[in-house]
Amino acid sequence: MEKWECTACGYVYDPSIGDPDNGIPSGTRFEDLPDSWVCPQCGVGKEFFSKVS
């Protein structure tokens, strides 16, 4: 599963971990996150994330 990095603050969304503090279970792909999901560190939207190569 691909990791995604917030270009605003550097937070990395790792699908193998998810975002349990915000109700996102492990195994949730970035593409499957709800549109309302925001970076848990700085609060920007998904459009500020880029795929980590």
Side-chain angles (χ1 to χ4, degrees), residues 24-39:
I24 305 297
S26 63
T28 303
R29 297 181 320 147
F30 184 81
E31 296 85 350
D32 295 333
L33 291 171
D35 291 337
S36 59
W37 183 84
V38 295
C39 176

Side-chain angles (χ1 to χ4, degrees), residues 3-36:
K3 295 179 182 178
W4 290 72
E5 182 176 11
C6 177
T7 58
C9 74
Y11 169 82
V12 174
Y13 176 76
D14 183 344
S16 66
I17 297 170
D19 182 11
D21 293 340
N22 293 298
I24 305 297
S26 63
T28 303
R29 297 181 320 147
F30 184 81
E31 296 85 350
D32 295 333
L33 291 171
D35 291 337
S36 59

